[in-house]
Amino acid sequence: MLLTVHMSPVEMELLPLLCLCLLTVSGTTFADGNNLQIVKVTEGSDATLPCSTSTEEDVTSKRIEWRKDGQKEVFLYEGELLLSGQDQQFTGRVSLYTSELQHGNASIEIKNTELFDSGDYTCEIGKLQTNQSFPIQLLVVPLIIKVKEGNSVILPCSPRSKKDIKEDHFEWKKDGHMDVLLYEGTELGIRDDQFHGRVSLFKDQLKNGNASIKINNTKEADSGNYTCEFPDRNETLHILLVVGEYFDKTADCL
Ligand SMILES: *[C@@H]1O[C@H](CO)[C@@H](O)[C@H](O)[C@H]1NC(C)=O
Ligand SMILES: *[C@@H]1O[C@H](CO)[C@@H](O)[C@H](O)[C@H]1NC(C)=O
Ligand SMILES: *[C@@H]1O[C@H](CO)[C@@H](O)[C@H](O)[C@H]1NC(C)=O
Ligand SMILES: *[C@@H]1O[C@H](CO)[C@@H](O)[C@H](O)[C@H]1NC(C)=O
Ligand SMILES: *[C@@H]1O[C@H](CO)[C@@H](O)[C@H](O)[C@H]1NC(C)=O
Ligand SMILES: *[C@@H]1O[C@H](CO)[C@@H](O)[C@H](O)[C@H]1NC(C)=O
């Protein structure tokens, strides 16, 4: 799902505020006055980076080159896919919308975005004199969850392959150092005092690849950056939890 918003400079200044209000939107595309497109997605979701010729001419036989931060090769197409130079970061995660090429649309999809994918992308269609280059900024942000103090909250986490994780090793941490829950084939009792007796796994869900936790009786001090890490898979998910006094269902903006 994409939402396109055309913004004035004043609105750009309000962007951080607006973004907070759009948190429930899974993918958002903004265009600023200078042709820069900004795509914002929540970590773990798929991102479509837009790139289209204004003429809508068929680009099926053209060279299409996607780069990140000026150097990393994301995707190269020249009548066929040329993946040999592709940066490891993007292996198996990037695809063109093949049927769109004939309409001049060279947009790509990046699956399972990571925070690390954030950056400046360019899409180049064609070569030399005839080339067209399009700048796109991708912002991958952590999932943000707000909860009213005293209520319980579920922090969701699943590895990409939603396989059985009963025998796996994963760690929930807060702000990079506080142990919230450690699991290694069984739940280990090492937890920070702050969470003592308030955190639980959904044990019957582990077989479905669900490593989510529930925190009961939330306190304001629970607010912070949580990570759910699978060290053996090199996968980490980020969640920003905000516990406050006044949140209710309609209060979507901070
Ligand atoms: C290009 O294709 C993508 C994927 O189907 C679509 O989301 C996007 O709107 C298309 N862009 C244009 C300009 O048609
Ligand atoms: C073609 O792309 C190159 C590399 O990005 C750029 O330096 C050059 O100005 C472009 N040429 C035209 C005619 O836009
Ligand atoms: C994990 O299981 C809990 C409890 O059944 C459920 O609320 C949550 O949505 C599940 N999360 C995922 C990522 O499947
Ligand atoms: C959290 O509360 C639920 C009931 O609301 C209870 O089933 C669960 O055991 C509690 N978790 C902990 C760790 O106390
Ligand atoms: C979470 O991490 C971000 C970026 O590292 C930082 O700017 C922010 O202050 C942290 N939030 C909390 C509540 O600790
Ligand atoms: C783990 O992933 C990060 C970011 O995707 C990458 O920079 C790093 O090289 C990876 N480490 C291993 C051991 O694969």
Side-chain angles (χ1 to χ4, degrees), residues 152 191 197-200 214 216:
S152 63
R191 284 181 207 163
R198 292 195 294 128
V199 178
S200 48
K214 183 173 180 184
N216 282 350

Side-chain angles (χ1 to χ4, degrees), residues 108-140:
I108 49 170
E109 181 182 56
I110 304 182
K111 288 206 184 301
N112 272 314
T113 52
E114 300 166 13
L115 297 191
F116 194 54
D117 294 333
S118 295
D120 296 319
Y121 289 73
T122 49
C123 159
E124 270 178 40
I125 302 176
K127 287 183 182 173
L128 303 171
Q129 278 83 1
T130 57
N131 68 358
Q132 299 187 52
S133 178
F134 304 89
I136 296 111
Q137 187 175 59
L138 175 63
L139 293 169
V140 183

